[in-house]
Each structure stands twice: as C-alpha cells, then as structure tokens.
Amino acid sequence: MTIDFNVSAFMAGAVFYMIYGGIYYSLLLGKKDQERTGPVKYVVAVLVAFISSALVGVLVHATNSGGFASGALIGGLVGFLISIVYFKNTLFGLMTKRMFLIAVGDHLIVFTLLGALHGWFL
C-alpha cells in the first residue's frame, strides 16, 4: 500500500501552521510567556507543525477529499476531535475556561485551514 503525498502541500501547510500559530498566540497571550522563553519549545512547535501538516495531508489524500471545501471538512473534523479532548480536560478542571477557548479556537481554525490547503493541492 502506498500513500499519495504532496510534498508542496506538506511544506506549505507546515509553514502556514507556524506563521498562523505565531500570530494567533502572540495576539492572544502577548508578552505573558517571555520569562519562560527557551529554544526547546520552539523546536517542538516546529515539529508539531510538520507532523500536523503531514497527518492532515495523509487524511485528505486517503479520503480523496480533493478541493478546498472537502479538505476543509476533513481538517475541521480533526480540529473538532482535538477540541472535544480539551473540553473533557476542562470539565475535570485541568484547564481554565479561557485557556480552553484559546486552544479550541486555535485547533478548529488551523486544522480546518490545513485541510483546505491540502484539499486544494490535491
């Protein structure tokens, strides 16, 4: 079994994820985390961007969800699944309501857009 994979979409999705995350979290959190800034979290963030783009790309290709809307649906479903995990954690007091809303907003938007991007490239 082979997995069809578009390297251009993979790279574009990873770069998009990093730019989007930088803007999203900078706007919402501002300078709150400057005292704990270290290189490790940025390396992990880059790895997460590449892994996320790759997995969404594989899902979009595996479901043959070519096109902007079909890809967005697949990405949106991924964002929704991640969001319900955060919701469960919030119910058990592991996250504040504000952090829940920030995380859910991020994941719903970025995964929907990643899916749309991969669908567009398909």
Side-chain angles (χ1 to χ4, degrees):
M1 180 175 140
T2 61
I3 297 175
D4 187 19
F5 193 75
N6 186 320
V7 175
S8 297
F10 164 68
M11 295 300 291
V15 170
F16 172 78
Y17 190 106
M18 287 183 271
I19 292 169
Y20 171 83
I23 293 168
Y24 184 86
Y25 284 103
S26 292
L27 291 174
L28 289 176
L29 299 177
K31 298 181 180 187
K32 181 179 180 179
D33 198 39
Q34 278 189 344
E35 66 276 359
R36 295 184 306 202
T37 301
V40 173
K41 72 178 176 183
Y42 294 105
V43 170
V44 171
V46 168
L47 290 173
V48 167
F50 279 99
I51 292 167
S52 297
S53 181
L55 292 176
V56 170
V58 167
L59 285 173
V60 168
H61 280 82
T63 58
N64 201 24
S65 298
F68 194 81
S70 294
L73 177 63
I74 297 301
L77 289 172
V78 172
F80 176 74
L81 288 173
I82 293 169
S83 297
I84 61 174
V85 171
Y86 279 114
F87 178 67
K88 176 200 51 103
N89 290 344
T90 303
L91 290 176
F92 285 94
L94 300 174
M95 299 180 77
T96 65
K97 184 178 178 182
R98 180 175 185 270
M99 288 295 120
F100 166 74
L101 293 173
I102 290 171
V104 165
D106 172 36
H107 291 95
L108 284 174
I109 294 168
V110 79
F111 280 101
T112 301
L113 293 174
L114 274 178
L117 183 140
H118 281 279
W120 184 57
F121 272 84
L122 185 62

